[in-house]
Amino acid sequence: MSEEPVGGDLSRLRQLNAAAVLRELRGDQPLTLTELSKRTGLSRASTEDVARDLLGRGWLTEVAPASGSVGRPARRYRFNAGAGRLLGIDIGGHKALALVTDLDGEVISQSRIEIAAEAGRRQRLAALDRCVTKALAGAGDGQIWATGVATTGLVDGTGKVMLSDSLPEWSGVDLAAQVRRLVPGPVRVENDCKLAALAETWRGVARFAKDVVFLLAGLRTGAGLIIDGKLHRGFANWSGEIGALPAAGWQHAPHHLHDWLENSPATEAGGGFERVFVAARAGDATALAAVDAYVRDLAVGASALVLTLDPQLVVIGGGFSRSADVMVAPLRRELDRWCLRTPEIRVSAFADEGVALGAVRLALDEVESTITTGLRP
């Protein structure tokens, strides 16, 4: 970390220094000023100045000296995850999910409300309001510092849904304005597939990978892209929308599972699409054929993304990831057919909660971007 101002921009220098200190203190162990100075490359004086500022803002807390120390003990600091709270919201085709967390992303309260797929704008927004209100009530006292919102569809920079093919009356909804009625602080809105990918690189199976293709496998199929460790949005925030191309196969993929359900008697083993995967896992030949056909369609668009990005990982997430054990082998076979190199395929551990966790990470990005601007108390 350089301590020389670039172009006289002292404010930017302070922000970089503070970010470096916070990054090092995100571990489990408290650190002394000397340890922080060595890890960040800052001078002892600069480190002490940054720590004092962050301590005053509530971002850091001073830890009691270790027992048994001789002489004047060195001051130790740790990140204060309880200084504020974050809100992450996933509003989709079948549910609203809200998570209230601390600044480390540990869930304090959550609420889920199921929504009918055919619900219109007014019904869906009402469910969103109820879900958020319930999550906030369960969290008790504590100010929300920032909110992230995930939604299906294309989103602009103001928090408005530009286009949504899958939800009735959803195009044009100003989600940022809707949520600002309920919570203080800044509100950021992003596409759900992108935020699910962000969650995986933050706290999921891709946290040590720099280049990742995330596949949202569920009632709807989508993708999120991580390039060089960062969420890739593209020029107009439309990256990963390969499913819009009919030849990619994603629009038709769930039909194979739906057809099997229509032609198979209901059982007590699972409900909805889960029945297909349960039957496939048990060796039902027709269910296995339906899953294979679904994966073949999924693999067309996935192969295009793999050939374009050459990622380290392909991560399967979304509602169907609970049954990814019957999807991984056929997906690997299909990628082997089309790709010059098949990356490692891993399954998300978040199931359908990864999108909301990605929304929490988006809120934390907003908070961290203001650490030296005075916007946070």
Side-chain angles (χ1 to χ4, degrees):
M1 179 65 60
S2 171
E3 295 188 70
E4 291 298 323
V6 178
D9 191 352
L10 294 175
S11 176
R12 176 59 176 164
L13 180 65
R14 286 194 297 269
Q15 185 178 19
L16 291 172
N17 290 348
V21 169
L22 286 173
R23 186 165 55 248
E24 295 301 330
L25 285 172
R26 280 307 185 94
D28 295 331
Q29 299 298 321
L31 299 175
T32 66
L33 290 174
T34 299
E35 291 168 335
L36 278 171
S37 177
K38 289 180 179 179
R39 293 192 182 196
T40 60
L42 299 174
S43 68
R44 169 65 182 245
S46 292
T47 304
E48 187 172 12
D49 182 59
V50 170
R52 186 186 305 111
D53 181 54
L54 293 176
L55 191 65
R57 294 176 186 273
W59 280 88
L60 303 185
T61 185
E62 193 167 343
V63 180
S67 59
S69 56
V70 180
R72 183 180 178 183
R75 288 176 292 176
R76 298 185 302 155
Y77 300 90
R78 65 173 176 82
F79 178 71
N80 183 14
R85 293 185 177 178
L86 307 168
L87 174 63
I89 303 169
D90 172 16
I91 176 69
H94 297 80
K95 73 175 187 305
L97 174 62
L99 305 177
V100 178
T101 77
D102 65 15
L103 297 179
D104 270 336
E106 295 299 324
V107 177
I108 299 169
S109 173
Q110 71 179 65
S111 173
R112 177 190 294 257
I113 293 180
E114 302 301 321
I115 305 174
E118 64 275 11
R121 176 186 297 195
R122 182 172 298 179
Q123 295 167 292
R124 200 171 299 278
L125 290 176
L128 169 65
D129 288 358
R130 294 196 303 275
C131 187
V132 170
T133 300
K134 185 177 179 181
L136 293 175
D141 295 333
Q143 185 183 18
I144 300 295
W145 279 14
T147 299
V149 184
T151 180
T152 181
L154 302 173
V155 181
D156 68 12
T158 70
K160 183 179 294 185
V161 180
M162 296 183 290
L163 176 66
S164 176
D165 292 331
S166 59
L167 296 185
E169 306 174 3
W170 205 238
S171 297
V173 169
D174 190 340
L175 278 175
Q178 180 76 16
V179 174
R180 287 192 191 102
R181 297 167 44 252
L182 306 173
V183 293
V187 177
R188 293 178 62 181
V189 183
E190 185 55 273
N191 170 264
D192 52 2
C193 297
K194 291 182 174 64
L195 292 187
L198 190 63
E200 294 298 335
T201 58
W202 180 34
R203 304 189 68 181
V205 297
R207 59 187 178 276
F208 301 116
K210 286 192 173 182
D211 298 291
V212 180
V213 168
F214 175 86
L215 300 177
L216 186 74
L219 299 177
R220 182 178 54 85
T221 308
L225 309 177
I226 302 294
I227 300 177
D228 198 22
K230 298 178 181 179
L231 178 64
H232 183 66
R233 291 180 167 87
F235 175 74
N237 206 27
W238 287 33
S239 70
E241 295 293 334
I242 198 168
L245 185 67
W250 288 3
Q251 296 175 12
H252 184 263
H255 294 178
H256 302 292
L257 306 178
H258 181 74
D259 290 346
W260 186 91
L261 289 172
E262 284 195 335
N263 293 293
S264 301
T267 67
E268 294 182 0
F273 282 92
E274 181 65 17
R275 287 203 293 121
V276 187
F277 298 106
V278 170
R281 191 176 294 110
D284 184 291
T286 59
L288 283 168
V291 172
D292 283 350
Y294 167 77
V295 172
R296 280 197 300 272
D297 281 348
L298 180 68
V300 176
S303 296
L305 292 172
V306 168
L307 286 167
T308 301
L309 297 178
D310 185 27
Q312 179 181 349
L313 290 179
V314 170
V315 178
I316 303 174
F320 292 174
S321 64
R322 294 189 181 94
S323 302
D325 58 306
V326 296
M327 294 169 52
V328 171
L331 179 60
R332 184 178 291 112
R333 287 197 301 269
E334 292 298 312
L335 293 183
D336 284 343
R337 288 181 60 198
W338 302 112
C339 299
L340 300 176
R341 182 192 68 85
T342 299
E344 181 183 356
I345 301 173
R346 304 192 68 177
V347 179
S348 172
F350 297 140
D352 66 346
E353 295 183 356
V355 172
L357 188 59
V360 170
R361 178 66 246 192
L362 184 69
L364 183 55
D365 286 346
E366 174 64 28
V367 170
E368 289 182 343
S369 71
T370 66
I371 53 178
T372 60
T373 63
L375 296 179
R376 287 263 59 85

